[in-house]
Amino acid sequence: VAAEFSMNLAIEQARTTGVGFVATRRSNHFGIAGYYAAMALEHGMIGLCGTNTGPIVAPTFGRTPMLGTNPLAIAAPTSMPPDFLLDMATSAVSGGKLQVAIRAGKPVPHGWGIDATGADSADPGAILAHGALLPLGSFEPLSSYKGFGLAMVVEILAGVLGGGVFGPDVIALTKPQRAGHANVSHVFGAIDIGRFLPLQDFRARMDAWLDAIRSAPRAPGADRIYVPGEKEWELEARHHATGVPLMPPVVEALQAMAARLRVSMPSPVAATGERDA
Amino acid sequence: VAAEFSMNLAIEQARTTGVGFVATRRSNHFGIAGYYAAMALEHGMIGLCGTNTGPIVAPTFGRTPMLGTNPLAIAAPTSMPPDFLLDMATSAVSGGKLQVAIRAGKPVPHGWGIDATGADSADPGAILAHGALLPLGSFEPLSSYKGFGLAMVVEILAGVLGGGVFGPDVIALTKPQRAGHANVSHVFGAIDIGRFLPLQDFRARMDAWLDAIRSAPRAPGADRIYVPGEKEWELEARHHATGVPLMPPVVEALQAMAARLRVSMPSPVAATGERDA
């Protein structure tokens, strides 16, 4: 609720003055950063959204969590769907990817995280429980200070500018003893494209640009070049057509909740074998 | 000249409406992105600057240059120097790092670039002449699509929004046959901190945040955690005290230019052994 209100406020500001930025404090997990950035699209605007999260990422040359995965999302309109939508954790990967690996009992690639001693680790359990994720770039020779710096930029625009708590003071909801209010901060931005050039021109330029990227020569073994947001848009279209795949424990939890609240729940159809974690 | 004018315009807009964004087209190499972002600091503002550059970076799953190194800089004020200043190419490394390796006759780490076939390469000459740099993240399992997406964001805010050329149409000044006007586009942004919270509070919060990062537990073998801009600030202070080290070919080129233009040039002092590439 707070995030939707704030993004609408940024859009309203941008309509008035060309650009709007809103920082929001004392909030909770707002779901998907890209959802709010994309709210700007139907208004002919570029949208931006970022949030801090509970500490789980170590700074370059550090070994303990001092930053959240601090996702950043930017949306820009095209003429033909999908629109451009980059939605990324500023860490090498999000915590969710490690949780999937834990459930699957598999190691993770080197460069995702470190253990309690600060050593590179392939054990997702050790990384999440006692270590830390690494910033985008992973290693110092691959410029991990850039992912670290970007996480700080999101923190500065959200927690510091918004007057909320920031850095290691944000509550990690993964720690049971601190369950409750996450006390996170967000930032929302909107840029009115029509103040710079006609919206139609911008859309046409985006189309040409994305097409050029998509049709560029491919790396060995690659069958396609995706632009940001394209994979997720295709997945959404597939789910609209064939339904949203849910894992059995999620279906069971929803059924139990429906029974407890005495509301009816659509019967799940048989699994097709497709599973999205 | 165009960049300084544009950043001043963004600052002026931010003074009036709280946030200002300016896109600039048909420009040339503007030097250091961080210089313009830092112009916002003395006005109590957060500064942002980005630029496209000649194509030298391959998209994730691509093998040819479709994007520039598209640097992005963000500055935010503290109470005590140094201010926060992140100034980063959105590629794994800048082209300059490969040129240094070529001069030194050394291989570069895997993850910096690819050769003409799209294969990972440690040969800086092959990367620059016929291959491409990789985006921040380097490899798909380490989320190189994020660096690729960030390079696109800079391109969207500069070249696409600014009405200039973009992507592979930007002229690569490294290609001699195209020497001349680079036809690059920039973006400049300023956010007036006082619209969000008292500037003194913001500065104090930044101080606390940066101190917490600096004093966090360190990784094995690391003797210090740097915050963005700190290393460069210390180097600048050292150069103010002891002079700017120049490599002999640079001194010779300046002396030749001074003689040709009949202006006097300060005599260089003896080299101290310190060399900054």
Side-chain angles (χ1 to χ4, degrees):
Chain A
V1 173
E4 184 126 352
F5 175 87
S6 301
M7 186 66 202
N8 277 323
L9 188 57
I11 290 167
E12 195 52 45
Q13 288 176 344
R15 209 191 314 275
T16 310
T17 66
V19 195
F21 268 76
V22 172
T24 308
R25 66 170 174 257
R26 301 192 63 195
S27 185
N28 242 312
H29 196 306
F30 67 11
I32 302 167
Y35 172 82
Y36 306 101
M39 282 172 63
L41 297 173
E42 64 177 300
H43 302 278
M45 297 179 184
I46 293 168
L48 177 151
C49 174
T51 185
N52 64 16
T53 75
I56 187 174
V57 177
T60 302
F61 296 131
R63 70 167 193 269
T64 57
M66 294 297 290
L67 301 130
T69 56
N70 294 8
L72 179 65
I74 291 110
T78 58
S79 304
M80 293 283 291
D83 294 301
F84 177 93
L85 179 54
L86 176 68
D87 187 348
M88 52 171 267
T90 51
S91 44
V93 293
S94 63
K97 286 209 175 182
L98 282 92
Q99 280 154 356
V100 170
I102 290 174
R103 280 201 296 272
K106 287 183 178 165
V108 297
H110 284 278
W112 284 18
I114 51 179
D115 65 20
T117 69
D120 191 30
S121 173
D123 175 353
I127 293 168
L128 279 191
H130 311 291
L133 294 177
L134 287 170
L136 174 60
S138 297
F139 306 111
E140 200 276 337
L142 297 183
S143 303
S144 65
Y145 77 90
K146 297 179 182 180
F148 162 41
L150 287 170
M152 290 192 74
V153 166
V154 173
E155 186 60 278
I156 288 168
L157 293 177
V160 181
L161 190 63
V165 299
F166 49 89
D169 295 332
V170 178
I171 293 166
L173 285 182
T174 47
K175 311 226 156 136
Q177 72 277 18
R178 293 170 135 189
H181 183 231
N183 207 2
V184 290
S185 298
H186 319 306
V187 62
F188 305 91
I191 300 175
D192 187 6
I193 293 164
R195 305 288 185 118
F196 291 81
L197 77 173
L199 180 57
Q200 285 305 100
D201 291 1
F202 181 89
R203 290 185 194 274
R205 292 162 70 80
M206 285 296 293
D207 295 348
W209 172 217
L210 298 186
D211 277 351
I213 298 266
R214 284 188 193 103
S215 53
R218 292 190 296 277
D223 62 355
R224 195 167 154 191
I225 297 175
Y226 292 91
V227 295
E230 195 168 23
K231 254 186 191 171
E232 295 75 11
W233 180 79
E234 290 182 0
L235 187 64
E236 184 182 343
R238 202 154 73 238
H239 290 176
H240 272 295
T242 64
V244 178
L246 296 177
M247 288 190 291
V250 175
V251 175
E252 286 154 24
L254 287 172
Q255 283 169 331
M257 203 184 292
R260 184 164 53 80
L261 298 171
R262 296 182 193 176
V263 296
S264 65
M265 185 182 149
S267 305
V269 297
T272 61
E274 183 184 14
R275 287 177 67 165
D276 297 295
Chain B
V1 173
E4 185 126 350
F5 175 87
S6 301
M7 186 65 201
N8 277 323
L9 189 57
I11 290 167
E12 196 52 46
Q13 289 175 344
R15 210 190 313 276
T16 309
T17 66
V19 194
F21 267 77
V22 173
T24 307
R25 67 171 173 259
R26 302 191 63 193
S27 185
N28 241 313
H29 196 306
F30 67 13
I32 302 167
Y35 172 82
Y36 306 100
M39 283 171 63
L41 296 173
E42 63 177 301
H43 302 279
M45 297 179 185
I46 293 168
L48 177 151
C49 174
T51 185
N52 64 16
T53 76
I56 186 174
V57 178
T60 302
F61 296 131
R63 71 167 193 269
T64 57
M66 295 296 291
L67 300 131
T69 55
N70 294 7
L72 179 66
I74 291 110
T78 58
S79 303
M80 294 283 290
D83 295 299
F84 177 93
L85 179 55
L86 176 68
D87 187 347
M88 53 172 267
T90 50
S91 44
V93 293
S94 64
K97 286 209 175 182
L98 282 91
Q99 280 153 356
V100 170
I102 290 173
R103 280 201 295 270
K106 286 184 178 167
V108 296
H110 284 278
W112 284 17
I114 52 179
D115 65 20
T117 70
D120 190 30
S121 174
D123 176 353
I127 293 168
L128 280 190
H130 310 291
L133 294 178
L134 288 169
L136 174 60
S138 297
F139 306 111
E140 201 275 337
L142 297 183
S143 305
S144 65
Y145 78 89
K146 297 178 182 180
F148 162 41
L150 287 169
M152 290 191 74
V153 166
V154 172
E155 186 61 275
I156 288 168
L157 293 177
V160 182
L161 189 64
V165 299
F166 47 91
D169 295 332
V170 178
I171 293 166
L173 285 182
T174 48
K175 311 224 159 148
Q177 73 276 21
R178 292 171 133 187
H181 184 230
N183 206 3
V184 290
S185 298
H186 319 306
V187 62
F188 305 91
I191 301 175
D192 187 6
I193 293 164
R195 306 286 185 120
F196 291 81
L197 76 175
L199 179 58
Q200 284 306 100
D201 291 1
F202 180 90
R203 290 186 193 273
R205 293 162 69 80
M206 285 295 293
D207 296 347
W209 172 216
L210 298 185
D211 277 350
I213 297 267
R214 284 188 193 104
S215 53
R218 291 189 297 276
D223 62 354
R224 193 166 155 192
I225 297 175
Y226 292 91
V227 296
E230 195 168 22
K231 254 185 191 170
E232 295 76 11
W233 180 79
E234 290 182 1
L235 187 64
E236 184 182 343
R238 201 154 74 238
H239 290 177
H240 272 296
T242 63
V244 178
L246 295 177
M247 288 190 292
V250 175
V251 175
E252 286 153 25
L254 287 172
Q255 283 169 331
M257 203 183 293
R260 183 164 53 81
L261 297 171
R262 294 178 193 178
V263 296
S264 65
M265 184 183 150
S267 305
V269 297
T272 60
E274 182 183 13
R275 287 178 67 164
D276 295 294

